[in-house]
Amino acid sequence: MKLIPKVAVIATVMLCSSLLAGAQKIKVQEGDVAVLKEQTEINTEFTYDHVKVGEFDNEDDYIQKKKDEYNKKEAGKGDTWATAWKADRAARFEPRFNEMFTEGSNGIKAGNFPAAKYTLIFKTTFVEPGFNVGVMRKNSYINGEIWIVETADKSKVVAKVSVDKAPGRIAFGMDFDTGARITESYAMAGRSFGRYVRK
């Protein structure tokens, strides 16, 4: 059996990445994001109200189902999973979004900047967790809304942007952990919106 050349593997990964990026849609629904080009910092906030997960209209129903399934397999495993599901937001998803937005925008620092003129509110509306069981896999993706508001008066909305199908997976399929897949969805959303602002 011939070994696959390393160059071919790298090319395949790059192609998959570009295809994944192409599936995502960033669209301004109202307002204008051009005001951000002049900024060096942007405050960020994240909300998870009324999130739908996979086939579940209610996130709590999804959490309860997975929690019960894991606990049946191993006592306590479901409780640990449920805790991680919520904890990953602040520990993994949000920092990764901020990091990749900063990179994609070419220098607008995103994060906890309460003195920044504008605040970016990322409102997650849908999560497809995906799965990876080795022989079969399904990528994760998220949908959401980005609201750009004035930090001093958050009722003043500068722009509303829709984010559809921000995909998440790790190269070479090493994303057996649900949180790892979803983290990359937030990374892709952050980077893509950062690049959109930079254009």
Side-chain angles (χ1 to χ4, degrees), residues 20 40 81 109 123 138:
L20 284 169
T40 57
W81 176 88
K109 295 180 181 178
K123 303 185 177 192
K138 180 179 182 180

Side-chain angles (χ1 to χ4, degrees), residues 63-85:
I63 292 173
Q64 189 61 54
K65 178 178 180 291
K66 298 299 290 185
K67 180 179 175 179
D68 291 344
E69 287 177 354
Y70 284 130
N71 278 336
K72 285 180 181 178
K73 293 178 181 178
E74 180 184 330
K77 184 177 181 179
D79 300 278
T80 300
W81 176 88
T83 299
W85 175 268

Side-chain angles (χ1 to χ4, degrees), residues 47-64:
T47 67
Y48 305 88
D49 302 326
H50 313 297
V51 176
K52 296 180 180 181
V53 183
E55 298 177 354
F56 292 81
D57 289 335
N58 187 315
E59 180 187 27
D60 290 336
D61 292 339
Y62 170 78
I63 292 173
Q64 189 61 54

Side-chain angles (χ1 to χ4, degrees), residues 8 41 87 97 119 147 150 160 165 169 189 191:
E41 296 177 340
F97 177 95
T119 292
W147 287 27
E150 293 186 8
K160 292 182 182 180
K165 294 190 175 180
R169 68 168 296 171
R191 182 172 64 180

Side-chain angles (χ1 to χ4, degrees), residues 2-190:
K2 294 183 178 179
L3 295 175
I4 299 173
K6 187 181 291 186
V7 173
V9 173
I10 293 171
T12 301
V13 171
M14 291 177 68
L15 175 61
C16 289
S17 297
S18 64
L19 290 173
L20 284 169
Q24 181 179 204
K25 292 182 181 178
I26 303 282
K27 184 177 181 182
V28 175
Q29 300 295 332
E30 64 178 75
D32 192 350
V33 300
V35 294
L36 299 182
K37 289 184 177 181
E38 301 172 358
Q39 306 304 307
T40 57
E41 296 177 340
I42 187 166
N43 191 47
T44 56
E45 296 179 1
F46 298 81
T47 67
Y48 305 88
D49 302 326
H50 313 297
V51 176
K52 296 180 180 181
V53 183
E55 298 177 354
F56 292 81
D57 289 335
N58 187 315
E59 180 187 27
D60 290 336
D61 292 339
Y62 170 78
I63 292 173
Q64 189 61 54
K65 178 178 180 291
K66 298 299 290 185
K67 180 179 175 179
D68 291 344
E69 287 177 354
Y70 284 130
N71 278 336
K72 285 180 181 178
K73 293 178 181 178
E74 180 184 330
K77 184 177 181 179
D79 300 278
T80 300
W81 176 88
T83 299
W85 175 268
K86 290 289 183 75
D88 279 346
R89 295 171 175 178
R92 303 168 81 177
F93 306 162
E94 297 167 16
R96 192 79 170 119
F97 177 95
N98 289 337
E99 175 191 355
M100 297 310 293
F101 173 86
T102 300
E103 180 182 300
S105 66
N106 198 27
I108 303 174
K109 295 180 181 178
N112 183 26
F113 297 109
K117 185 175 182 179
Y118 298 106
T119 292
L120 182 162
I121 304 174
F122 191 97
K123 303 185 177 192
T124 303
T125 57
F126 177 82
V127 176
E128 168 51 62
F131 62 85
N132 186 346
V133 292
V135 294
M136 292 180 61
R137 62 167 294 114
K138 180 179 182 180
N139 294 335
S140 70
Y141 70 86
I142 59 171
N143 295 339
E145 296 178 359
I146 292 174
W147 287 27
I148 306 300
V149 302
E150 293 186 8
T151 303
D153 183 356
K154 293 176 182 174
S155 67
K156 294 182 178 179
V157 181
V158 176
K160 292 182 182 180
V161 180
S162 62
V163 178
D164 293 321
K165 294 190 175 180
R169 68 168 296 171
I170 295 174
F172 306 108
M174 301 305 292
D175 54 2
F176 300 102
D177 172 51
T178 303
R181 290 191 300 275
I182 300 174
T183 296
E184 290 311 300
S185 291
Y186 281 89
M188 184 65 77

